[in-house]
Amino acid sequence: MGLTLYWHPQCQTCRKTKKWLDEHQVTYEPFHIVKTPPSREKLQELYEKSGLKLKNFFSTSTKKYRELGIKDQLKTATDQELLDLLSSDGMLLKKPILTDGEKVIIGFKEEELEKYTTTSKM
C-alpha cells in the first residue's frame, strides 16, 4: 500500500513535509484535508493505528477550535463524539497526517519520516 498525505497547501508544516517527501523521492497520494478530509471511519482507523490520544488529532491553533470550545469538550466528550467533530471539518485536524495504512505520523517529525520512509519505500 502506498503512502497517503492529508495536507493543506496553506499550512507551513504541511508544505515542509511535502517538500521533504519530494526531496527524498517518496511516492505518496496527496489529499487536500479541507476539500477531501478523511471520513469518520478513516479517522477512527488512523486514531487506532496511531497509538496517540484522540486529542492529538485536533489543531488547537485554529479559530474554529476556539469558537467551538473544543478544549473544554475534550474533558467530557466520548471518543465517538470527538471523531464526529473531527470529521465535520478538515480544518480541525492537526496537519499533515501521513499514513501507509499501518503507521501514522501527525505533523513534521523528520526522524520519524526517515524511519517511516525507509521501511515504507514504494
Side-chain angles (χ1 to χ4, degrees):
M1 175 181 228
L3 295 175
T4 301
L5 176 68
Y6 294 98
W7 76 300
H8 190 277
Q10 294 175 340
C11 167
Q12 184 176 1
T13 307
C14 294
R15 290 193 311 262
K16 186 175 181 179
T17 299
K18 190 174 184 307
K19 181 180 177 188
W20 191 96
L21 292 170
D22 291 343
E23 287 175 351
H24 290 82
Q25 299 177 351
V26 177
T27 304
Y28 59 91
E29 186 173 0
F31 287 94
H32 191 296
I33 203 163
V34 176
K35 292 180 182 176
T36 314
S39 68
R40 188 198 177 289
E41 293 76 21
K42 177 55 82 175
L43 284 171
Q44 183 161 354
E45 178 185 323
L46 293 170
Y47 162 57
E48 291 170 356
K49 292 183 177 186
S50 73
L52 299 170
K53 294 181 180 181
L54 197 49
K55 71 178 186 176
N56 295 111
F57 278 79
F58 282 93
S59 177
T60 59
S61 62
T62 63
K63 183 178 178 182
K64 188 161 189 175
Y65 179 89
R66 292 185 299 277
E67 286 175 350
L68 294 175
I70 294 174
K71 182 179 178 181
D72 295 327
Q73 291 182 46
L74 289 173
K75 298 172 188 173
T76 58
T78 66
D79 284 355
Q80 301 311 315
E81 291 169 331
L82 294 176
L83 284 165
D84 288 341
L85 191 56
L86 281 169
S87 65
S88 72
D89 188 337
M91 287 303 288
L92 289 174
L93 289 161
K94 188 166 182 84
K95 299 167 259 326
I97 300 173
L98 182 67
T99 184
D100 67 355
E102 294 300 320
K103 295 178 278 183
V104 178
I105 296 174
I106 298 177
F108 180 83
K109 298 173 184 86
E110 188 169 1
E111 187 175 296
E112 286 185 43
L113 283 172
E114 287 174 0
K115 289 179 190 175
Y116 192 69
T117 56
T118 57
T119 59
S120 300
K121 281 282 186 196
M122 301 297 113

